Amino acid sequence: MSYASSGEFKRDASYIPDRITKDARTPEHGPTDGRMWPVEPGRYRLVAAKACPWATRTLIVRQLLGLEDVISLGLCGPTHDERSWTFDLDPGGVDPVLGIERLQQAYLARFPEYPKGITVPAVVEEASGEVVTNDFPWITHDFFFEWREFHRDDAPDLWPADLRDEMEPVMQRIYTEVNNGVYRCGFAGSQEAYDAAYDRLWTALDWLEERLSTRRYLMGDLLTEADVRLWTTLARFDAVYHGHFKCNRQKLTEMPHLWRYARELYAIPAFGDNTDFDQIKTHYYVVHRDINPTQVVPKGPDLSVWTS
C-alpha cells in the first residue's frame, strides 16, 4: 500500500502493458508500449481468484463471451502471503496446467527481478509458463474486441458502438469513486483522509442510485462492460466493505435501485457463478491483518437475501 502525506490511500496502477491482439496488431486504443501477442486459442491461461474484484471482472467477461474453451482458467485460493497468490484449490496446491504452486513463478519466469506485487488477474502463456499481462482493464477490453471470432453466437455486445462515448466517463467514475473508493476508505491513514474518501464514495453511490432509478442497467436496456465493473464492488459491499472498510452509511440492501440491479445481475450465470461470498470474506478478513489483526471472519451477513 502507498499513502500520500495526507494519509490518503494511493493505488499503484502500473501493470505489464502487453496486449493480446488479433494477429498481434497494434490496437487503436489503450497502451501500446508493451509487446503485442497474437490471439491464439489454447495458448493462454487466465489465472484469477474469485476473492479478488479486479480478477472477477475477467471471469465474468470470459464466461459472458463464451471463451471458456479458448482461454483456459486457473483459480487461486482466497488468501495469499507477501510473496504471491497460490493454487490452494488444486490437488497438491499445484496448478494442473502450469505446474506451479505460486503465481509468482510465472512472473519471475519472464521477469526474474520483477519489482512489483504479484497480482491477479494475470494471463500466462501455457507453453513457456511466462506471464503475458496483468493489466486488468485491458484484459476484458481485449477479450471483447480482439477475440471476437471466438465469441459464442449469442454473446452480449458489451461495448455498443453508439454508447461508448457515454460509457467511458461512467466507467472512469465508477473506477475512481467506487471500485477504488472503498479502498480509499478502508486503507485511509488518517481521519481526514477517511472522511474525504467516505464523502466521495457516497456521492458516487447516490449518483448511481439515481441513475438506476430510470434504467435497467447502467447504459439502459443493454448489459455492458460498465455493469461488470460496478458489479464486483456491489457484490462485496455488505459482506466486506460496509464493516471491514467502514463504508457504513447504508447497506446495499438499503438502496432500493442499486439492490434491485445487483440482484438482477447476480441471477445471470456469469455473475452468480463467479461470485463466492465465502472466498470474498476469507480474503479480506484474513489477508488485511493491519485492519483485522485477529483474522476472525464474520459469519454474517445473511446471504440468502440474494436469492430469496
Side-chain angles (χ1 to χ4, degrees), residues 40-48 58-59 62 66-75 87 95-98 121-127 139 143 147:
E40 185 179 320
R43 180 169 178 174
Y44 306 102
R45 187 163 180 81
L46 172 65
V47 178
T58 62
L59 296 174
R62 173 179 172 269
L67 295 174
E68 298 98 319
D69 294 333
V70 179
I71 303 167
S72 71
L73 176 64
L75 287 174
F87 295 95
D95 180 273
V97 172
L98 301 175
V123 178
V124 179
E125 185 182 39
E126 291 187 6
I139 291 174
F143 278 178
W147 292 79

Side-chain angles (χ1 to χ4, degrees), residues 10 44 86 168-169 187 287:
K10 296 287 188 181
Y44 306 102
T86 53
E168 290 294 347
F187 291 127
V287 171

Side-chain angles (χ1 to χ4, degrees), residues 187-290:
F187 291 127
S190 70
Q191 187 67 51
E192 293 76 15
Y194 166 74
D195 290 346
Y198 180 96
D199 291 343
R200 281 181 65 177
L201 171 66
W202 285 103
T203 296
L205 288 174
D206 286 340
W207 161 67
L208 289 165
E209 175 74 358
E210 175 64 25
R211 185 179 182 90
L212 288 165
S213 70
T214 59
R215 60 190 75 200
R216 181 180 184 185
Y217 299 119
L218 285 171
M219 305 311 300
D221 291 330
L222 296 176
L223 179 73
T224 68
E225 171 87 10
D227 300 298
V228 176
R229 296 186 179 197
L230 177 57
W231 160 257
T232 58
T233 298
L234 297 184
R236 288 157 177 77
F237 201 86
D238 288 3
V240 175
Y241 301 146
H242 180 272
H244 185 58
F245 277 0
K246 309 180 186 71
C247 304
N248 60 353
R249 192 191 80 180
Q250 289 169 272
K251 295 179 180 177
L252 175 65
T253 55
E254 297 166 347
M255 303 188 76
H257 301 300
L258 276 165
W259 177 230
R260 181 273 309 163
Y261 163 81
R263 290 182 72 211
E264 183 168 349
L265 291 179
Y266 184 67
I268 298 171
F271 290 80
D273 292 351
N274 293 299
T275 301
D276 188 314
F277 292 110
D278 288 336
Q279 288 197 39
I280 288 167
K281 290 196 299 181
T282 298
H283 171 72
Y284 284 89
Y285 285 101
V286 171
V287 171
H288 297 159
R289 296 187 186 185
D290 49 342

Side-chain angles (χ1 to χ4, degrees), residues 9 42 50 61 67 77 90 118 120 127 159 161 167 171 182 185 209 249-250 291:
F9 167 71
K50 291 184 178 181
V61 171
L67 295 174
D90 291 308
I118 306 301
V120 289
W159 296 77
M167 277 177 63
M171 293 192 299
V182 292
C185 290
E209 175 74 358
R249 192 191 80 180
Q250 289 169 272
I291 300 177

Side-chain angles (χ1 to χ4, degrees), residues 146-200:
E146 304 299 332
W147 292 79
R148 280 188 185 230
E149 66 183 287
F150 302 104
H151 293 181
R152 70 166 194 258
D153 292 340
D154 61 345
D157 183 358
L158 296 179
W159 296 77
D162 61 334
L163 296 177
R164 288 175 202 165
D165 287 345
E166 183 184 357
M167 277 177 63
E168 290 294 347
V170 169
M171 293 192 299
Q172 181 62 23
R173 188 173 182 184
I174 287 170
Y175 171 69
T176 61
E177 306 305 297
V178 181
N179 299 149
N180 202 42
V182 292
Y183 283 85
R184 272 199 306 271
C185 290
F187 291 127
S190 70
Q191 187 67 51
E192 293 76 15
Y194 166 74
D195 290 346
Y198 180 96
D199 291 343
R200 281 181 65 177

